[in-house]
Amino acid sequence: MEHSQKIGGREFFSIIVLAIGTKITSMTPAILAQSGKNAFWMMPFAGALTLLAPFLLLLYLLRTYQNKNLMDLIYHLLGKWMGGLVGVVLFLVAFVSLVLESRNYLDELSSIFFPQSPQYALYTVLFIVILFGARKGLNVIASTSWILTPFIKVIALILLVLVLKDVVWMRVFPIWGEGMMVTVIEGVKKASIFGDLFLLTMAYTSLKSTKTFHKTAYIGGAFTLFELTLFFLMYSLFFDYKSIDQVAYPFHEVTQYISVGMYFTNVEAFFMIFWLFAAFIRFMIYLYFTTWIFAAVFSITSFKPLLAVFFFLAIVLGMSINNPIQNVLVYRDMFLTLTTPLFIILPLILWAVAKSKGELAR
Amino acid sequence: MLYHLKRKFMKHSRSTEAADITTSPLSDELTHNIELIEELYSASINKDFVVRDIHIKGMDSRAALFFYATAVDLDKVEQSIISPLLTENGKDIRDIVSVEHISDVNDLLDVSEYIHQGYVIFLKEGSSNGLAFNVASYEHRGIEKAENEVLVKGPKEAFTESASVNLSLLRKRISNPHFIAEGMGVGVRSKSEATILYMNDLVDENVLNEVRKRIERIEVDSVRSIEMLEQFIEERTYSLIPSVLYTERPDRTAAYIDDGYIAIIMENSPAALILPVTFWSFFHSPEDHYSRLLYGNFSRLIRLLAVFITLFISSFYIAVTNFHEEMIPIDLLLAIAGAREQLPFPLVFEIVMMEFAFELIREAGLRIPSPLGPTIGIVGALILGQAAVEANVISPIVVIVVALSGLSSFAIADVSLNYTIRMIRFVFIFAAATYGIFGIIGAFILCLMYAAAARSFGVSFLSPLSPHFRSGNDTVFRGPVTKEIFRPGQIHPRDMKKNSMR
């Protein structure tokens, strides 16, 4: 009775958008603004350009080998030992990202909405919801994201419109912030904000067709780049050159500032609803893909029980970080810079090996 | 004690005896057969069981008729069976008797099955085979207006408790040779018949086979009605999410069958089951399509809002007043605070108490005999509303909130979805009491994902919205009828295009 349960283009598009686009609401803009100042809105563009070629190369390889996802491809090309090693590295990248980002969101939640609530209690709620969701599998995560994405994005758009009256367009100057070279170099260094796209290629064989995957990856990538740039620009225009690097949670500060007409002056809890939707789904995606990579490395077929283990570990590690500033400005910053080369080099190595094996001629 | 044991033993021995009799073949001797059947049906004490000895004129031989006087049309028995047999000449029974439908009877099992379906059993001297004449006529209610799925615009007929009448209501609407009504026996001891209805050139064979399999798998003595059958064939017994649609409207059933769905009807039930279903089947009302485009969509919008109001208004009120006070404009905040000043209970307690009271009124209102109906209004409105507020037990705002939530729940016509939403509401109330909006959203995501993962006969509960399928786009809103060119893709109909002729 079961018909094939493959993920459609729309659903995968919303996964991409929620996994990467939601970074506008985390502390990622704060990291970029440290070095880029008011020009940080151009940094995603530099990052995207850096990763464009490696990503296209990876897609080209995946297309050549048709029915292989990322880990299958790595194993096929690099062999058991090297492939396993690369797999473990990829897993660590995804896992560390899960740890840092979940702590990041929790800090936002607790410092803005629940300052009196103990952190472990908030983590417990997060744990229950995300674990339950991730256990439902990729198909359900995908369809839920497709239901919610339009709402989340429309609300984001409303936020943009509401904030228009408070932005000062002249704040775009000095146009290069700290200087053109600084902006470009820092942008390239933080290219890994798009690194999730590489990890999402784990789902290459789970889509209805490979063509759908390619199309969706292009559209999704372009959309998130547009979204990131637009929101970062809005932050730059809202805060200014002087204060942008002092703002820890730009998204929430903006929502606290704006009002809908004269009557509704505090609407941040309304935006929090959609921010929470995005955050929940995003961590389900992170958790699922992290565990999936781990399972693929060690050829574990049913990895549902592992989800709880990894999420628990992520929470424990997340709680052990001293404070949000350390988490974001030190660890997350370092992490973004360190992982960028990996995403650039990995496709090149894979391509070189494939070329030397002579399998690309087919 | 002894008496009980004895009774138990007697019952047991009688039932095994009865089982033995039913499987035994018929003999050549009519007298022996009569004795057998009379014993099986306890003819001496069973007052509506008729055994009629008869002499067939045309064949000059003895025969007997067996039937329940209350299950057949007695006039027809007289005119089409007894009278021709006594007076007409002819060499074959089929030439003498004027009944539309005649079946062969080979053993006692056949005899008992046919007798219960309102057939007259005919056994002849010197033959171990008999015939069964269909003259069934059970009493049933006439066709009346639909009471639970009321429409302003559209047909008013509703199903009634007779399967043949219901089938005829559907035949009237679907004039297509591919419309099949397939009968299937249900139950072990007291066999009743379920009729599976579908278009054989549209239906997804896999689903059809699954339905047949699930009905075959039922191993209980009797399944008396479709409401019971629903619980035997549904997907998740312990879940809040229904997987079969129950409707009393023939027009709605016909529309579903036309789209490639499967319907099941049964004797004794004034409704049809439709499967496989999605959330939208429960959410929609047939009137959405009978009304013009914008009118229909307007009522869908209202209904959608009603769903959300029912689900969230109480919990949202708790969340906002307990956790996110800054959201409320200052004047309103003061009004709420002022109203709550003298109240003894925490807000959650107030809300739960009032919601419970509302559910109580609803349940009692359903069961109360109609002459006492107005009492409910007085008790509900005066005592629970006004008096509770005046006694400073409940804040007036809570009365407004709960009344709104209760009123909105009536906008969802479907019985199953109505229960689902009313019950989930309490989950959100407790989630809001624990963690405000964070709690509500967490609980909502869980519910949403649970619904997204749920399936009805292989079809995702939230499709064709998500996962997306090609369909007539008849989900939250509907498009113009002229543009509904596709059948719902999530049920995999064999012909996707609806208007291939156009």
Side-chain angles (χ1 to χ4, degrees), chain B residues 49-317:
Chain B
F49 189 74
V50 179
V51 181
R52 170 74 158 85
D53 254 319
I54 201 166
H55 185 265
I56 309 170
K57 188 186 173 201
M59 297 159 91
D60 193 24
S61 79
R62 202 176 143 235
L65 298 171
F66 308 87
F67 55 92
Y68 274 121
T70 44
V72 298
D73 182 344
L74 286 175
D75 284 344
K76 213 170 168 186
V77 173
E78 166 61 34
Q79 283 166 21
S80 314
I81 303 173
I82 299 181
S83 160
L85 284 175
L86 288 174
T87 55
E88 302 280 326
N89 285 320
K91 284 291 159 222
D92 190 357
I93 298 297
R94 288 173 197 267
D95 297 338
I96 302 173
V97 172
S98 55
V99 180
E100 308 99 51
H101 191 249
I102 300 179
S103 315
D104 289 317
V105 170
N106 298 319
D107 54 24
L108 271 180
L109 198 66
D110 287 351
V111 170
S112 74
E113 259 181 35
Y114 281 120
I115 283 187
H116 287 291
Q117 288 173 27
Y119 281 65
V120 168
I121 303 293
F122 171 88
L123 294 179
K124 201 164 70 96
E125 178 70 63
S127 163
S128 62
N129 295 323
L131 294 171
F133 309 130
N134 185 4
V135 286
S137 160
Y138 285 101
E139 291 302 325
H140 59 80
R141 195 162 60 103
I143 298 169
E144 285 167 22
K145 277 190 180 182
E147 279 182 3
N148 300 324
E149 295 170 69
V150 188
L151 300 190
V152 177
K153 187 179 178 185
K156 306 282 189 285
E157 278 175 342
F159 283 131
T160 185
E161 280 84 350
S162 158
S164 55
V165 173
N166 292 350
L167 186 55
S168 117
L169 286 175
L170 289 171
R171 283 269 179 226
K172 183 170 82 169
R173 288 175 169 82
I174 308 174
S175 44
N176 187 329
H178 294 291
F179 175 38
I180 306 292
E182 177 186 322
M184 265 192 93
V186 193
V188 179
R189 262 178 95 102
S190 159
K191 256 212 179 335
S192 39
E193 198 181 44
T195 314
I196 309 175
L197 310 166
Y198 55 90
M199 293 291 212
N200 67 355
D201 61 337
L202 288 179
V203 73
D204 181 2
E205 282 290 336
N206 297 317
V207 178
L208 186 61
N209 288 333
E210 177 68 23
V211 173
R212 288 186 186 130
K213 213 159 62 191
R214 286 195 198 179
I215 293 181
E216 269 167 21
R217 255 199 328 238
I218 300 174
E219 277 185 353
V220 284
D221 279 357
S222 68
V223 177
R224 252 167 269 107
S225 61
I226 208 115
E227 293 80 11
M228 303 301 296
L229 186 75
E230 178 183 351
Q231 297 178 50
F232 280 108
I233 62 171
E234 73 180 351
E235 305 256 323
R236 300 164 294 275
T237 311
Y238 297 101
S239 167
L240 275 183
I241 293 184
S243 54
V244 181
L245 176 71
Y246 176 88
T247 177
E248 54 172 4
R249 302 193 61 91
D251 52 325
R252 199 174 183 199
T253 313
Y256 274 111
I257 293 174
D258 260 338
D259 272 349
Y261 288 84
I262 297 171
I264 306 175
I265 54 172
M266 242 175 119
E267 196 67 55
N268 301 327
S269 282
L273 297 183
I274 290 164
L275 50 96
V277 283
T278 60
F279 172 78
W280 314 109
S281 327
F282 297 100
F283 175 69
H284 293 165
S285 147
E287 193 155 15
D288 303 345
H289 265 92
Y290 297 146
S291 304
R292 293 184 55 236
L293 178 70
L294 291 181
Y295 311 162
N297 280 334
F298 178 70
S299 69
R300 276 199 189 169
L301 178 69
I302 298 291
R303 211 173 310 135
L304 186 73
L305 291 179
V307 170
F308 279 100
I309 290 175
T310 311
L311 281 177
F312 293 117
I313 189 144
S314 306
S315 45
F316 201 70
Y317 180 66

Side-chain angles (χ1 to χ4, degrees), chain A residues 111-176:
Chain A
S111 57
I112 292 178
F113 297 103
F114 300 100
Q116 288 158 354
S117 197
Q119 223 172 32
Y120 68 84
L122 290 169
Y123 254 138
T124 310
V125 177
L126 209 65
F127 182 78
I128 294 170
V129 174
I130 288 167
L131 191 65
F132 176 90
R135 279 180 70 91
K136 290 274 169 197
L138 192 59
N139 279 308
V140 177
I141 297 176
S143 20
T144 318
S145 355
W146 171 237
I147 295 174
L148 294 175
T149 306
F151 294 99
I152 295 170
K153 292 305 151 198
V154 166
I155 298 300
L157 192 68
I158 290 178
L159 178 70
L160 273 182
V161 172
L162 285 177
V163 85
L164 269 184
K165 71 176 190 316
D166 293 311
V167 302
V168 177
W169 292 96
M170 281 310 185
R171 283 181 187 156
V172 75
F173 298 108
I175 187 100
W176 289 109

Side-chain angles (χ1 to χ4, degrees), chain A residues 3 5 11 117 143 266 269, chain B residues 204 326 435 455 466-468 492:
Chain A
H3 292 273
Q5 294 294 327
E11 286 84 1
S117 197
S143 20
N266 290 86
Chain B
D204 181 2
E326 77 283 350
Y435 251 125
R455 277 156 188 285
S466 183
H468 178 82
H492 306 281

